[in-house]
Each structure stands twice: as structure tokens, then as C-alpha cells.
Amino acid sequence: MKIAYISTYPPRECGLATFNNNLMRAIGSNFPERQSLAQTGFVVALNDSENIHEYEYPEEVKYVIRQNHQKDYIRAANYINTSNADVCIMEHEFGIYGGESGIYILPLINRLEKPLISILHTILKDPSYVQRIIIREIAEQSSKVIVMSKRAVEFLTSIYEIPADKIQIIEHGVPDVEAPAENPVKNLSSFKNHRVMLTFGLLSRNKGLETVVKALPKIVEKHPDVMYVVLGNTHPGVIKSSGEEYRDHLKSLAAQLGVSRNLAFINKFVSEEELVNYLTACEIYVTPYLNEAQITSGTLSYAVGAGAAVVSTPYWHATELLADKRGRLFDFKNSEALADTLIELLDQDRILNELKENAYQYGLHLRWPVIGAEFIKVAQESLVRFDFSDKILRNSIVDPEILPKFSLTHVLRLTDDTGIVQHAKYGIPNLKEGYCLDDNARALIMALMAYQRNGSSEAFELLPIYLSYIHYMQTDDGNFRNFLSFDRRYLDEVGSEDSFGRTIWALGHLIGCAASNSYREFSLEIFHKSVPHFAALKHLRGMANTIIGISLYLQVYPTDEGMVKILADLTQPLIDAYNNTQSDDWQWFEEKMTYDNAILPLALLHSCEITGNEEAKKIAMATMAFLDQLTLSNGYLSPVGNDGWYYRGGTFPTFDQQAIETMAMVLMHFQAYQIFRVPQYIEKMFLSYKWFLGENTLRAPLYDHETKGCCDGLLPGGINRNQGAESTLAYLISHLTVLKAFELEYEYNKYGQKLQTC
């Protein structure tokens, strides 16, 4: 069995790099016939530099990912998939991967075709929205999630809702070496003739070392031969931001307290063998972290494994590892309590030696070869259970169980007696931005769909609010304003053609499925008043939205010949635009693809359904196929990003992806199914919808299960966490369309098999 490791790696100075190197050696030690680490597997190493050659890696490093280069992650997945690795082990810490909270790792693990074992080094009690998404997705894609403490299991099951059977505890490994008979460290000036208290690790403010320095005066008064030794470099990130400010602060504090002679710094990154020498040469090891939020501490594990007497603050890992008299605890930032504990231990050799012996005995089962054997067992079990076809089905099958429960909670939060507020800061309405016609038109469509589906009283009560807003924004000549301030002041004289068209769409929808005659009559009045402006439309998307509205109107009033002619007249510019622009490699209406792209073929599908225009149908199918090829070819939806548009012959913009693109794709494929009854369109509809749930470029859900809203977009580094009306309504309309598709289940296979294509 060979293993691919994803992690930082030496010579990069990083705790995870050391851990991964030790794990690789530990697993290799169980295969003594293999002469080198490279024979046991290989490493995909994470660089914190733009320079791929920043570090002189050993031979086992076969691939390097630059932290902030998203394409490197995709290429790394391809490298692993085509390698001879049987299993993949990933070290996870939010900070070592690119994007918001390291979100770039998700596309990599989603593409893996090997069983994945993920080792979580940090599990936050209060994760951000994105951090929670990342951990849940890692668990979803992993055969097994490894943690190092019971508290970690508790957090994963209760906070992240990860099934307990996905999780396994394997404690942090420690060096498999004994203290030398002649320890050279004891001859160092800071150790010789001193009773040494030691702390080691990369220095940063959160280590709390000032607590030990403040305790020194009281300790030194009783034991003047005490020396507090701080072993380790300053963290590279701290060096970049503030240099040696923290180390200098500790020196200055010691000078103020008169204990400078009792404080020594050894500023270097030591080897494992050297570290054991330091740990066995000290009297007491101290970890004075400032708060409880430390789920795993490698330094603490090493100290216990070396049989050191440990005194620590009660952070999560320490409370478990130092239980049963394997160490002593003192309160956070309490230098007095620390001083009293250390004096007690220095006074009583019997208690001190008992702590050391208890720690040493416990540490025997933490030694790296033992830990390596546990990982081998997990890897073998994962390999036996892994079935890649299951992963493919999980990612592509049409399954109603994956749909969140429909909820109007966020819509109700955004809606007042005027209309729906257009923007939000996170999940909170941003009243400063007021209202717009686009969103209230979409909201009317959504509320109608919700009421149609289940007779929702909440949805029914929203209808007059959104319809009243549309009426309020109609001008005397039948056109529409768009923007309204929170205090109900008009902010424009005439709205955009997009907002006009979306309003006609909403009115057509209401005319077609009005909850009562009064609503239909009111809608007809507004609709007919706006008709004189149809001929003045100049932009394709304004026409397309209007075409959809007219088509819905004509489903109820098919004998309105004047409106049929208007529909044909509005359809022709789309046909002409396509014919004037298209080529063998560019099946589109314009020289560029911009926003809300699927609306254009969707409009032609609606038009040809009413008029029977074969040319419109042919163009709808051609442009739909072209759009699908561009956006669905990766097995998930990656719509044209708003960051630059997609020009003929240009580069496809991956970001900023918007929810209205997805809604249009869902509606387009559903409308295509209704016309052609080809099950492939239902499959593509579901595939598009799942963009909201995490089947996307970053593998990050945009639907927020907590607020019941939808995030505003997919950015290069993560998610736009604002949850405005446009994105939330786009999600809900898509969701309701998917539910409507389930009503046609008798026409296609519903029961967990991949849909047949024609």
C-alpha cells in the first residue's frame, strides 16, 4: 500500500510539516523492507510562497501547491489520481490552504478518486459560516476523519453535525527515543547548575509566556537556581508582521521584574532528537496558553511522551492528556497559581517524579511506530470500503433528500409593508439600500410558486405587498421606476429594461396562476398599461424577460392576436442577433456572454412553445447546448463569472459567480424538459440547482441553513456572505422549480439511478 500525503513539509518550519514527516516515517517504520520514505508514498507539499522552488524538498515530495494558486489544487488532484497511491492522507489546518479559511482545498478533495483520510488539527468551537462548511465538506469527502481528543469528537458531532462513525481518535504521536545516558543539553550554560522550566514551540502572543515570566519573582525567591528556558524560533508569520517584538517584550518584562538572569531564550528550530534531549534535561515543562481553545497541542504531546513533569493551563487538549496525575493544571493568566504549583513541585521530588513516571508510561502508547500502525489499519479499512462509483453517484444522482426544507424565514426578514429590501449585510437587512423593482418582481414570482405548491398562508400574505410595490413604481405612462429609498422616495424616473422585463414576467406569471380574480384583474390592468413600451425595448435581456411574461399571459389568453404579434416581434431580434453573431465555435447571441445568460434561450423556449416558431426552437437548443458545454462540462455548474465577462476568443472568467445565473439555468432546463420531455434536461436542472448546495467550483454551499437565506456570490477566495434579496429569491425559485419537477416523477426514474439520456 502506498499513500499520498497532502500537507506542509520540511524544510518548511511548520508544526504540520513536522507532524506529517513524522507520520510518514512512522507508517514507513512498519514496513522495514522499504529502504526510503519515497518507497512508502509521496507528498503533495503546500508552499506559503509564490515561488514553487522556495524550499529544497527531499525526494518524497513529488508535487508542490502554491497556497494561493487555485489551479495548483486541481492539478494536484489529477496528479494523485493518476499516481500509484492507494490512499490519501490530508493534514488539515485552516491557515495552510488558500482562499477564505482555506476553502481552496475543497475542489481538490472533491476530485480525488482515492479514499481520503483527513486529520483535523484545529476544530473550532465557534466556527465561521465558511469554516463550518469546510469541515463538513471534508468529512463528507473523507472515508475517515481523524482527531486527537475526545473534545474534538464532541465538537464535530454537536457543532458540525458529523456522524460519529465517520470519526476516529488517534492521539498525537511522540518520538520513539529514550533519553541519552550522557545528555549534552545539561552542559549548556542555561541548564548547567540550574533547575530548568522549559517551554518550546514557535513563539507568538497566544502562547502566554508572560504568565511564566510574571511568576518567576516568587519562584526565584524560594528557588534562586531556577531558569526558565524558551526554546524555539518566532513564528514566521509573526516575524513578517511584527518581527521579534514579542520576544523583546518578554525580555523587557523580565528586566522590570528583576529576573532577567532567570530567563533564557534558545532561538532555533531543533531536530526531534535534540528536542528529546531538552525535554529530558528540564525539571518541569510549562504550557501557559491563554485560553481553552486548543484542541490539539503537539508540544504538549511531546512533553508527555518524553516523560516530563508538565504544568499547564486547562486548555482542551491539556485537560485530557494530563488527567490521571500525568500533569498539573493552573488557571489561565494566573501567575500566582502557577508560581505556587511550581514551588510545590520543586520542593517535593516525590510528587515531581510521580508526574514524570505517569507521563512516561502513558507516552509509550503514543510513540510514532504505534501511531503509524493505527493509521495503517485505518488506511486498509478505508481502501476495502472505498467505491469510487458511490462517490460519483453521491455527487450526481437526483435525490430529493438533499433538498433543504423550504423556508420563507429570510424572505420574511427582508420584507416589510413596502416590499422586499434589496440588500443585506450577512443575514441582516441593509435598510440603507432601500428597495428595487427587480427584486419585488422576483419575490412576487416566488410567493406565487410557493402558494401554488402548498397553499402557504405566509406566501399568500406576501402577494399584495409585492404587487402593491409594482403598482406604486408604475409611472403614469405605463413604464416603471426601479429604485425606492427606505423612506419611500423615488430614486429614479425610469428603471432599466431588465427591471421592466422582469416585472412583465412577474405579471404574466400572476395572470396565469392568480390566487383570486382580484389579483388577476389588478395584474391585467398594470400589464396592459405597460404594453406601449414593449416596442421600445432595445436590449436583448429586457426583451427576453418580457417575452417570458407575454408567453405566460398567452397561455391564459391564447386568442389575443395582437399580443401574439407582439411576441413574434420581440422574438425576432433574438433570432437576428444569433444569426448575425454565431459561428461554428460560437453559438451565441452576442460577441460576449455577460450576466443572466440562460434567460436568452429560456425566452426562445417560451416563445416557440406559444408560436411554434421552428427557428426559435432550433436556436434555443443550439445556444442551450453551447451554454451547457461551457458551464456544466466539469460535472458541476460553473456559470460565467461577472469578473470580466466571457468574450469570443477570450478567457472564461471563473468568478464572481452569481445566483441569478444558476436560477436561469434551472428554469431553462426545466422549460426544455417540459417542451421536449428529454430526461437529460431534468438531470441538468438538478445539477445546476446543486450549485447552491456546494456542487460548484469551490465546493462551498451558498445556501445558509441557519438564516435560510442564500449568499450573494462565489468569489475567488470564498463566499460573499451577504444574503440579499436577489440571491435568496434566486435560490427559492430554483428550489420550488426542483420541487415542481418531482411532480413529474412518473416520467423519469426517481429511485436513485442515474437518469437515462436521449
Side-chain angles (χ1 to χ4, degrees):
M1 181 174 62
K2 291 196 173 183
I3 299 173
Y5 300 83
I6 304 172
S7 176
T8 53
Y9 203 73
R12 180 175 173 182
E13 294 182 3
C14 166
L16 262 66
T18 302
F19 180 94
N20 197 72
N21 179 253
N22 282 328
L23 178 60
M24 195 172 186
R25 292 179 183 278
I27 290 175
S29 69
N30 286 271
F31 301 100
E33 71 280 2
R34 300 182 183 180
Q35 300 301 309
S36 68
L37 286 181
Q39 290 181 319
T40 66
F42 62 87
V43 177
V44 173
L46 274 296
N47 268 19
D48 54 353
S49 165
E50 293 294 297
N51 181 5
I52 205 165
H53 303 295
E54 176 77 10
Y55 302 104
E56 298 221 1
Y57 289 116
E59 64 171 343
E60 60 266 22
V61 174
K62 302 298 184 185
Y63 200 91
V64 175
I65 295 174
R66 292 165 293 179
Q67 180 174 343
N68 294 312
H69 282 246
Q70 190 181 12
K71 289 183 179 178
D72 285 2
Y73 293 82
I74 307 303
R75 292 166 183 155
N78 294 335
Y79 181 86
I80 294 170
N81 289 338
T82 56
S83 73
N84 62 356
D86 300 295
V87 177
C88 190
I89 292 179
M90 178 183 70
E91 312 292 345
H92 183 264
E93 178 81 63
F94 292 110
I96 70 170
Y97 301 108
E100 183 182 355
S101 297
I103 201 169
Y104 284 178
I105 193 60
L106 298 188
L108 188 162
I109 63 174
N110 180 61
R111 285 169 171 78
L112 284 180
E113 297 171 7
K114 317 272 185 178
L116 174 66
I117 299 164
S118 296
I119 306 171
L120 304 184
H121 291 262
T122 297
I123 302 161
L124 302 173
K125 186 177 182 181
D126 298 301
S128 69
Y129 176 82
V130 172
Q131 288 164 342
R132 187 170 182 269
I133 282 173
I134 290 170
I135 296 298
R136 285 173 61 89
E137 184 64 19
I138 287 173
E140 174 69 19
Q141 297 297 333
S142 300
S143 299
K144 190 68 78 172
V145 171
I146 305 299
V147 296
M148 302 177 196
S149 66
K150 295 175 184 176
R151 183 63 65 92
V153 176
E154 176 188 324
F155 285 0
L156 288 180
T157 54
S158 62
I159 298 170
Y160 299 86
E161 299 177 334
I162 294 170
D165 60 5
K166 260 285 177 82
I167 309 165
Q168 182 168 332
I169 296 176
I170 300 180
E171 293 189 75
H172 196 296
V174 302
D176 186 32
V177 292
E178 298 290 341
E182 296 293 328
N183 192 338
V185 169
K186 290 185 177 181
N187 293 321
L188 297 177
S189 59
S190 54
F191 279 75
K192 194 171 184 178
N193 300 320
H194 290 105
R195 303 189 75 179
V196 174
M197 302 182 305
L198 176 71
T199 296
F200 87 91
L202 296 173
L203 266 67
S204 60
R205 280 273 180 185
N206 64 340
K207 300 297 184 181
L209 305 188
E210 58 273 16
T211 305
V212 187
V213 175
K214 291 176 182 178
L216 281 176
K218 187 173 182 179
I219 299 167
V220 170
E221 184 179 349
K222 186 77 181 290
H223 295 278
D225 58 344
V226 158
M227 179 69 73
Y228 179 40
V229 175
V230 179
L231 172 63
N233 293 335
T234 299
H235 193 286
V238 176
I239 287 286
K240 288 179 182 178
S241 62
S242 53
E244 293 289 1
E245 181 271 337
Y246 184 51
R247 192 185 299 269
D248 293 340
H249 164 71
L250 294 172
K251 290 178 181 178
S252 176
L253 178 61
Q256 293 172 25
L257 297 173
V259 290
S260 292
R261 293 182 179 181
N262 303 92
L263 174 64
F265 290 95
I266 300 176
N267 189 3
K268 70 174 184 176
F269 193 84
V270 297
S271 68
E272 197 168 88
E273 183 178 353
E274 288 179 288
L275 179 57
V276 172
N277 290 345
Y278 278 101
L279 288 169
T280 54
C282 73
E283 290 273 356
I284 301 170
Y285 183 79
V286 186
T287 54
Y289 296 158
L290 295 176
N291 60 64
E292 65 178 359
Q294 181 88 7
I295 206 78
T296 303
S297 170
T299 59
L300 180 67
S301 297
Y302 275 36
V304 169
V310 181
V311 176
S312 174
T313 48
Y315 56 91
W316 294 324
H317 193 200
T319 57
E320 290 186 32
L321 194 54
L322 301 183
D324 300 325
K325 298 183 179 179
R326 292 189 291 270
R328 297 285 289 273
L329 301 174
F330 69 97
D331 288 338
F332 299 106
K333 302 180 183 180
N334 192 333
S335 55
E336 282 290 319
L338 173 60
D340 291 342
T341 300
L342 292 172
I343 290 170
E344 178 190 355
L345 295 177
L346 292 169
D347 282 346
Q348 301 184 57
D349 287 343
R350 180 187 62 79
I351 298 176
L352 188 66
N353 290 331
E354 182 182 79
L355 291 181
K356 289 183 176 182
E357 179 61 19
N358 291 343
Y360 176 82
Q361 291 299 325
Y362 189 80
L364 291 176
H365 90 277
L366 301 180
R367 301 222 172 169
W368 274 118
V370 178
I371 298 298
E374 291 191 51
F375 273 96
I376 291 170
K377 184 178 179 183
V378 172
Q380 290 171 336
E381 292 173 351
S382 297
L383 188 57
V384 169
R385 292 196 306 267
F386 184 72
D387 184 349
F388 182 59
S389 62
D390 285 347
K391 184 171 183 176
I392 293 173
L393 286 173
R394 186 172 70 241
N395 289 336
S396 65
I397 202 167
V398 176
D399 182 2
E401 296 302 320
I402 72 170
L403 273 68
K405 184 178 179 181
F406 180 79
S407 172
L408 289 171
T409 299
H410 192 53
V411 167
L412 293 170
R413 188 180 297 123
L414 292 173
T415 301
D416 59 19
D417 59 354
T418 298
I420 191 166
V421 175
Q422 63 177 325
H423 293 304
K425 292 293 289 182
Y426 301 98
I428 308 303
N430 183 359
L431 303 181
K432 294 180 180 180
E433 301 294 333
Y435 317 85
C436 72
L437 187 63
D438 294 90
D439 289 335
N440 280 274
R442 289 190 194 95
L444 180 60
I445 293 171
M446 184 281 301
L448 281 164
M449 293 175 72
Y451 180 69
Q452 275 183 293
R453 171 135 194 97
N454 57 18
S456 166
S457 59
E458 285 183 324
F460 186 78
E461 290 170 5
L462 291 172
L463 294 178
I465 296 174
Y466 304 138
L467 186 56
S468 293
Y469 183 90
I470 291 172
H471 178 250
Y472 186 65
M473 299 304 282
Q474 189 168 38
T475 59
D476 291 340
D477 68 353
N479 210 330
F480 297 94
R481 295 182 173 92
N482 192 3
F483 298 109
L484 189 73
S485 68
F486 183 63
D487 59 357
R488 296 185 178 179
R489 286 182 295 107
Y490 295 126
L491 298 179
D492 55 8
E493 291 301 318
V494 177
S496 66
E497 288 191 10
D498 283 358
S499 63
F500 179 93
R502 287 172 184 140
T503 304
I504 300 306
W505 181 351
L507 292 170
H509 194 100
L510 181 54
I511 290 165
C513 60
S516 68
N517 283 332
S518 62
Y519 282 126
R520 176 175 283 122
E521 290 167 4
F522 192 17
S523 300
L524 283 168
E525 181 181 313
I526 300 172
F527 182 90
H528 285 301
K529 189 175 181 180
S530 69
V531 169
H533 296 277
F534 290 2
L537 294 170
K538 294 181 174 60
H539 300 288
L540 295 185
R541 282 162 183 77
M543 294 178 188
N545 282 288
T546 303
I547 286 169
I548 297 170
I550 294 172
S551 299
L552 295 171
Y553 165 89
L554 286 170
Q555 287 181 350
V556 183
Y557 300 102
T559 59
D560 187 338
E561 294 182 4
M563 197 59 67
V564 172
K565 184 179 185 307
I566 291 174
L567 177 61
D569 290 344
L570 281 176
T571 302
Q572 193 59 45
L574 271 70
I575 294 173
D576 293 342
Y578 173 80
N579 288 330
N580 293 334
T581 307
Q582 67 88 23
S583 63
D584 289 343
D585 61 350
W586 187 258
Q587 300 287 302
W588 199 243
F589 304 88
E590 301 168 304
E591 292 291 332
K592 62 182 182 292
M593 301 181 81
T594 56
Y595 65 94
D596 213 4
N597 292 294
I599 287 295
L600 301 178
L602 172 62
L604 291 182
L605 289 171
H606 276 280
S607 178
C608 72
E609 185 181 26
I610 298 295
T611 65
N613 187 323
E614 288 297 322
E615 188 177 12
K617 182 188 295 185
K618 180 181 176 181
I619 294 171
M621 294 180 71
T623 52
M624 183 165 53
F626 182 64
L627 186 58
D628 286 349
Q629 181 184 8
L630 287 172
T631 62
L632 292 175
S633 58
N634 291 325
Y636 56 86
L637 177 64
S638 180
V640 175
N642 285 7
D643 185 17
W645 311 131
Y646 180 41
Y647 289 80
R648 187 204 293 248
T651 302
F652 190 91
T654 303
F655 302 102
D656 170 18
Q657 296 180 20
Q658 300 288 310
I660 59 167
E661 302 291 332
T662 303
M663 179 189 82
M665 291 290 285
V666 168
L667 293 172
M668 177 186 73
H669 287 119
F670 184 61
Q671 178 67 11
Y673 178 77
Q674 289 185 300
I675 292 173
F676 304 115
R677 289 305 194 257
V678 176
Q680 182 183 24
Y681 293 125
I682 289 291
E683 184 176 9
K684 289 181 177 180
M685 180 201 69
F686 274 97
L687 193 60
S688 299
Y689 167 77
K690 288 192 288 186
W691 180 89
F692 292 108
L693 306 184
E695 297 289 334
N696 53 46
T697 309
L698 291 183
R699 296 293 304 167
L702 284 91
Y703 177 72
D704 187 337
H705 291 266
E706 180 181 356
T707 65
K708 313 303 181 189
C710 179
C711 298
D712 278 352
L714 212 57
L715 306 174
I719 298 171
N720 182 340
R721 288 282 289 112
N722 294 331
Q723 297 172 18
E726 178 182 286
S727 55
T728 296
L729 292 168
Y731 166 75
L732 291 172
I733 290 171
S734 300
H735 183 103
L736 288 163
T737 302
V738 169
L739 292 176
K740 188 174 181 181
F742 281 122
E743 296 172 0
L744 306 175
E745 63 189 22
Y746 61 90
E747 293 184 344
Y748 56 87
N749 187 350
K750 177 193 175 191
Y751 301 106
Q753 299 298 318
K754 193 172 179 65
L755 289 172
Q756 299 299 310
T757 60
C758 294

